[in-house]
C-alpha cells in the first residue's frame, strides 16, 4: 500500500454507517476502495446521482452514466438520478454527510485553498466551493507536504475555496481536527512523532489529551 | 403547429452574438447534432453558458476550439486546455462560476426569481462585486438570475409535444436550461408519440420546448 | 347563456393557439367550456400539472388527480405532473401565457384586489399573488358591478393582491386594456353604450380609436 | 439498519411544540395514517406548515379541528371555516404565505440557501417587515428559508431504502418538504423492493428519508 492508499484507507475508517459521501478527484477517489465491509456508505456524484458503484468493467461502458470527471461510472441498485439544481441543493443543504477533497493549502482556521495555484493554468472551481460550503463534514485527504513544503499553514496564501470550512485533515503523517479553539492533533501515523509533525507543519496546533498512535 | 423542424430551421434562432445555454457534463447530456449544426452554420461571437468546456473534440469543447465563442460562463475548464489558452491570449472571455451557483442562477431565471442567497463563495474571489446579505446571523452572497436567448437540449426520449425524459446522468443542466431561455430547442435521441412517456415521469414539460430536432441515433 | 357564461365565452376568444392558461376559481373556470375549436390551449393547474382535461364523468374519480380546488380532475394525453416549486416556477417565470381571475376591485393603474374583503372571513391568497406577479398576461373576468356598486375603481380600497399587474378586464358590459398611459375601453358588449359604461365605472378611461361593438 | 418502523416509533419524533411539515393539496398527497397517528397520540401546540387547511375532516383539516395546532403557516384557509374561527378567537395563530413563496421558502431551506428574491407580494401586505431588494431596476421581496423539525410525507410507491415515487397531483409539496426537515417520515401506500423504482424516475432520493411507515392501503 503506497502513501496515497494509506491516507485513503484511514479516511475510509472515519466514515459512519449510512453516510452519504462525495469524493473529490484524485486521492479522495481511492477512499471508495477501503470502505469497511460492515458499514454501508452511499456515494454522491455531483453531476447528478447517488449510489455510485465501482468503476465499470471494460466493455460495459454506458455512455449516459458518467462520474463528475466525465469517466464511465455505474449506479448501485437503490441509487437515483436527478438534475444539477437538486444535486447542489443536496450538497449545499447539508444532506451530504462528508465531502473528501484534496488541497493545495489548509490553514489552522480551517480555510481551504484547492482550486487555483498562482502562476498555473486556471481550472475553475467546479463544484468544490459548494461542496465545502454545504457538506456536514469536510475532510481533507492529502500528503502532508508537497516537494518538502508544508501544506498546512498558519494562513493560506493561495486563493481560497472557502473560509472556515475544513473539519478534519488526514495526511500520511497525522490527523488534525479543526475546532473553534484551534487546530488539534488527534492521531499520529505509525512511527511518526509529534516533533516530526511540528517540523513539517507551518500551522500552530494543540495536542489532544487522548492523542492516538496509528496502527501500521 | 408541429414543433418538429429541420436542423437548419431550429438553428435559425442562433446568429452571431446570441447567448446560448448548452447542458452537459464533460459531454454527457450535450446535444451533439445541434452542436455540429452550429459549427456547420459557422456562427461566431456566441456567449456560451455551460457546466464545463468538456474535452478537446467533445461536446461544447468543439465550439471552443473554433473561433465561435466570445465569452463562456462556466464552472470548470481544466479538462480542455484550449479554453485556458484562448483565455490567456485574450481571444475569449471566461467567467468562472461555482457549479451549484451556476445551476441555481439558471433555475432562478427560469422560475422568475430576482436571485438567491448562497453561502458558496463567501470569503473568496467569487464575492467580488456582489452584495452580501446577512440572514439569521449568517453571511450570504446575492447571486442574480442568468438567462439566455437560446437553449439547446438533449432528450433521451422526446414526444411530439416536446415532453422530455432524460436517461441517467445526461439530465444535469437540461431541465434547468429548458426554463431559462427565450427559445428552447431539443435534440431527440428517440422521438416518440405523445402519451408514450408517463405524465408522472416527464422531466421537462413540453410547454417549455419550442422546437424538436430528430437526433442521428 | 347567462351573464357569467357570456363573459367566459368572450375571454375564451382572446386566447391564442398554443397558449398555456391558468384559470382561477369561479367564473374563470367556465372559460374552459368556450375555447374555440380551431385552437389548442393547455390548462395549467397550480397544484402541479399541465394539460388539465374536462371534469371527470361520474364514477370515474381518480383521487390522486385533483384540481386547484381539490376537486376531481383529469389530465389530457401529453400533459405532465410536477411538484409545487416547479409549478410556481412555471407561473412566476412567465411560462404561463395568461391567467384568468376574478376580482373584488381593479383600478385604472392595473392594481388588483381579489384575495381579501374587509370585514369578511379571511381565505388566504393561495396562489393568486404568484399568478398575477408572473403570468405574461393577467385577464380579469368579472361582472361589471357588485350589487350595483362599481368594481372598477380609480384606486383600489381593498387589500391588494398585486400592484400594476392587470392587463385586461372583461366584464358583461365591456373590455378594458390597461396601458402605461391609462385604461382604454376597447370593446362594448352588444347594446351597451359608452355612457352606460361611464355610469357604472368609477375609473377614468380613454376610448380606443377603433372601439368595437360586441356581437350578440 | 432498516428504515421501516412502526407508526408509534416514527411518531416518537413528534412531541408537543414540534414544527411539522405536512404536504397535500386539499388533502391530496397528505399521509392520512400519519395524521391519524398524531391525533391518536394527542400531541399539542404543534407548528404546522402546509399548503392549505383542506376541508373539515379531511387531511390536515382533522388536526385543525382538534386542539393540536398552535400556529399554522399556510397559503389558503378558505375551504376550512374552522381555521378562520380559531384564528378569530385567538386559539390559533395563522401566518398566511403566498403559495409559490411557501414552496420556494421550503425548497430554499432544503437546498441550503439563505433565501431568495421574489416579485410576489410587492406592494401588498405580504411585504410588511421584509427587506426589499432591487435587481436590474426591479423590486423584489427577500424571503427567508423555512425549515421544520419533522416532515410527514406520503409516497405512492416507496422502496425499502426510502426512494419515493408520487402519483399524479399527490406530489405537490412532498419532494420539497423531504429536504427541509431534520427528521423525514414517509407513509408508503405501496412498499416495494429496492430496485423496483427506475432510478431515473425516483422523485425523492432515499437519502432524504429517515423512516418508512407502511400505509393502510
Amino acid at each position: 500500500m503506497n502513501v496515497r492508499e494509506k491516507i485513503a484507507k484511514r479516511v475510509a475508517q472515519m466514515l459512519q454507517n449510512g453516510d452519504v459521501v462525495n469524493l473529490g478527484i484524485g486521492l479522495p477517489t481511492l477512499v471508495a476502495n477501503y470502505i469497511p465491509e460492515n458499514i454501508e456508505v452511499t456515494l454522491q456524484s455531483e453531476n447528478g446521482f447517488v449510489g455510485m458503484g465501482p468503476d465499470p468493467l471494460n466493455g460495459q461502458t454506458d455512455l449516459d452514466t458518467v462520474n463528475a470527471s466525465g469517466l464511465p461510472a455505474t449506479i448501485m441498485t437503490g441509487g437515483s438520478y436527478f438534475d444539477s439544481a437538486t444535486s447542489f441543493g443536496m450538497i449545499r443543504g447539508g444532506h451530504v454527510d462528508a465531502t473528501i477533497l484534496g488541497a493545495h493549502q489548509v490553514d489552522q482556521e480551517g480555510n481551504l485553498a484547492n482550486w487555483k495555484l498562482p502562476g498555473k493554468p486556471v481550472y475553475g472551481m467546479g463544484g468544490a466551493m459548494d461542496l465545502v460550503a454545504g457538506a456536514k463534514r469536510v475532510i481533507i485527504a492529502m500528503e502532508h507536504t508537497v516537494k518538502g513544503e508544508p501544506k498546512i499553514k498558519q494562513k493560506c496564501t493561495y486563493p481560497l475555496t472557502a473560509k472556515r470550512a475544513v473539519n478534519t485533515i488526514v495526511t500520511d503523517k497525522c490527523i488534525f481536527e479543526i475546532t473553534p479553539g484551534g487546530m488539534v492533533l488527534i492521531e499520529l501515523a505509525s512511527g511518526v512523532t509529534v516533533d516530526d509533525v511540528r517540523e513539517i507543519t507551518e500551522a500552530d496546533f494543540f495536542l489532544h489529551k487522548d492523542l492516538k498512535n496509528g496502527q501500521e | 403547429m408541429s414543433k418538429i423542424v429541420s436542423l437548419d430551421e431550429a438553428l435559425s434562432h442562433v446568429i452571431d452574438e446570441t447567448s446560448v445555454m448548452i447542458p452537459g457534463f464533460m459531454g454527457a447530456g450535450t446535444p451533439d447534432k445541434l452542436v455540429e449544426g452550429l459549427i456547420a452554420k459557422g456562427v461566431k461571437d456566441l456567449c456560451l453558458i455551460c457546466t464545463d468546456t468538456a474535452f478537446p473534440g467533445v461536446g461544447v469543447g468543439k465550439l471552443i476550439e473554433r473561433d465561435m465563442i466570445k465569452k463562456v460562463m462556466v464552472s470548470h475548464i481544466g479538462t480542455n486546455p484550449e479554453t485556458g489558452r484562448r483565455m490567456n491570449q485574450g481571444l475569449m472571455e471566461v467567467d468562472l462560476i461555482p457549479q451549484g451557483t451556476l445551476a441555481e442562477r439558471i433555475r432562478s431565471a427560469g422560475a422568475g426569481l430576482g436571485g438567491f442567497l448562497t453561502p458558496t463563495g463567501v470569503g473568496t474571489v467569487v464575492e467580488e462585486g456582489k452584495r452580501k446579505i446577512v440572514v439569521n446571523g449568517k453571511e450570504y452572497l446575492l447571486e442574480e438570475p442568468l438567462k439566455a436567448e437560446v437553449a439547446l437540449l438533449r432528450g433521451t426520449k422526446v414526444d411530439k409535444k416536446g415532453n422530455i425524459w432524460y436517461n441517467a446522468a445526461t439530465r444535469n443542466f437540461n431541465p434547468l436550461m429548458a426554463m431559462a431561455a427565450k427559445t428552447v430547442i431539443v435534440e431527440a435521441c428517440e422521438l416518440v408519440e405523445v402519451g408514450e412517456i408517463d405524465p408522472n415521469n416527464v422531466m421537462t414539460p413540453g410547454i417549455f420546448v419550442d422546437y424538436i430536432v430528430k437526433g442521428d441515433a
Side-chain angles (χ1 to χ4, degrees), chain A, chain B:
Chain A
M1 207 182 289
N2 66 26
V3 164
R4 289 158 57 86
E5 286 166 338
K6 275 187 191 163
I7 299 169
K9 188 177 173 189
R10 184 63 193 88
V11 170
Q13 289 162 350
M14 305 176 90
L15 301 177
Q16 311 276 322
N17 192 20
D19 273 359
V20 178
V21 178
N22 184 293
L23 302 177
I25 293 169
L27 195 161
T29 309
L30 301 174
V31 172
N33 302 334
Y34 298 100
I35 293 167
E37 285 189 6
N38 60 333
I39 68 167
E40 196 182 322
V41 165
T42 301
L43 298 182
Q44 202 256 10
S45 192
E46 71 260 31
N47 57 318
F49 63 110
V50 283
M52 186 159 59
D55 290 346
L57 298 174
N58 221 355
Q60 289 192 335
T61 304
D62 159 19
L63 288 174
D64 285 353
T65 305
V66 297
N67 65 20
S69 301
L71 299 172
T74 62
I75 190 168
M76 315 269 283
T77 304
S80 60
Y81 296 102
F82 30 81
D83 67 43
S84 292
T86 305
S87 184
F88 282 91
M90 189 180 276
I91 287 167
R92 219 190 295 100
H95 307 283
V96 170
D97 297 291
T99 184
I100 301 163
L101 292 160
H104 299 321
Q105 295 179 333
V106 197
D107 71 27
Q108 62 199 43
E109 290 179 356
N111 298 319
L112 171 65
N114 77 346
W115 76 282
K116 203 176 176 183
L117 278 174
K120 293 275 179 163
V122 175
Y123 276 46
M125 65 292 281
M129 287 191 179
D130 299 283
L131 279 159
V132 295
K136 270 192 210 149
R137 185 174 182 188
V138 175
I139 302 173
I140 299 301
M142 64 177 190
E143 293 180 56
H144 205 99
T145 57
V146 57
K147 296 174 190 162
E149 269 297 300
K151 297 174 79 171
I152 306 174
K153 304 284 187 185
Q154 289 194 310
K155 194 90 189 169
C156 288
T157 55
Y158 296 162
L160 293 186
T161 309
K163 282 183 83 166
R164 297 179 184 280
V166 175
N167 301 101
T168 308
I169 306 169
V170 180
T171 76
D172 47 325
K173 305 297 181 194
C174 66
I175 302 178
F176 289 114
E177 281 289 335
I178 304 199
T179 73
M183 200 166 84
V184 182
L185 181 66
I186 62 164
E187 186 176 308
L188 291 164
S190 170
V192 176
T193 67
V194 172
D195 283 343
D196 292 341
V197 172
R198 283 227 166 84
E199 202 159 303
I200 54 172
T201 305
E202 197 205 78
D204 302 324
F205 59 88
F206 302 97
L207 304 189
H208 195 275
K209 63 180 171 56
D210 299 321
L211 176 60
K212 288 195 202 94
N213 280 289
Q215 289 125 23
E216 186 54 54
Chain B
M1 204 185 50
S2 171
K3 291 182 178 180
I4 304 166
V5 298
S6 69
L7 181 60
D8 285 356
E9 217 172 323
L11 294 182
S12 68
H13 296 271
V14 184
I15 56 172
D16 293 353
E17 300 190 25
T18 299
S19 58
V20 183
M21 289 180 172
I22 305 183
F25 213 99
M26 307 288 174
T30 301
D32 284 319
K33 185 171 172 178
L34 296 177
V35 167
E36 292 290 349
L38 288 182
I39 294 170
K41 184 170 177 174
V43 281
K44 58 182 197 300
D45 293 333
L46 301 178
C47 172
L48 175 64
I49 299 163
C50 54
T51 329
D52 52 61
T53 52
F55 306 103
V58 172
V60 295
K62 298 180 205 168
L63 302 177
I64 298 290
E65 64 211 34
R66 290 169 175 84
D67 289 313
M68 296 176 67
I69 311 296
K70 189 178 189 176
K71 179 179 179 178
V72 60
M73 304 180 80
V74 63
S75 78
H76 197 266
I77 61 172
T79 50
N80 192 339
E82 191 63 13
T83 313
R85 193 184 69 75
R86 285 177 178 262
M87 175 177 70
N88 294 332
Q89 293 183 353
L91 298 172
M92 191 172 71
E93 192 185 336
V94 176
D95 186 0
L96 289 171
I97 302 169
Q99 198 165 115
T101 298
L102 181 63
E104 200 67 20
R105 286 183 64 188
I106 294 168
R107 180 188 179 275
S108 210
L113 301 174
F116 59 94
L117 306 184
T118 181
T120 303
V122 171
T124 76
V125 294
V126 169
E127 74 177 34
E128 281 169 21
K130 287 173 190 156
R131 283 179 268 187
K132 281 186 182 181
I133 291 177
V134 175
V135 174
N136 294 324
K138 189 170 171 184
E139 209 172 46
Y140 296 93
L141 301 186
L142 170 57
E143 294 280 2
E144 298 184 5
L146 181 60
K147 57 180 76 170
E149 286 161 281
V150 176
L152 304 179
L153 312 181
R154 177 191 184 274
T156 308
K157 275 189 194 181
V158 181
D159 77 18
K160 292 176 177 174
K161 271 183 180 289
N163 290 303
I164 312 179
W165 184 89
Y166 308 99
N167 185 48
T170 66
R171 194 177 334 177
N172 57 67
F173 277 69
N174 274 286
L176 312 174
M177 291 175 170
M179 292 179 70
K182 213 176 131 196
T183 301
V184 176
I185 302 163
V186 63
E187 175 176 331
C189 297
E190 188 188 347
L191 186 64
V192 302
E193 292 301 320
V194 176
E196 283 191 39
I197 308 175
D198 179 341
N200 284 295
N201 298 336
V202 166
M203 295 170 184
T204 292
I207 65 155
F208 296 132
V209 174
D210 299 296
Y211 302 104
I212 304 166
V213 173
K214 285 187 214 176
D216 285 329

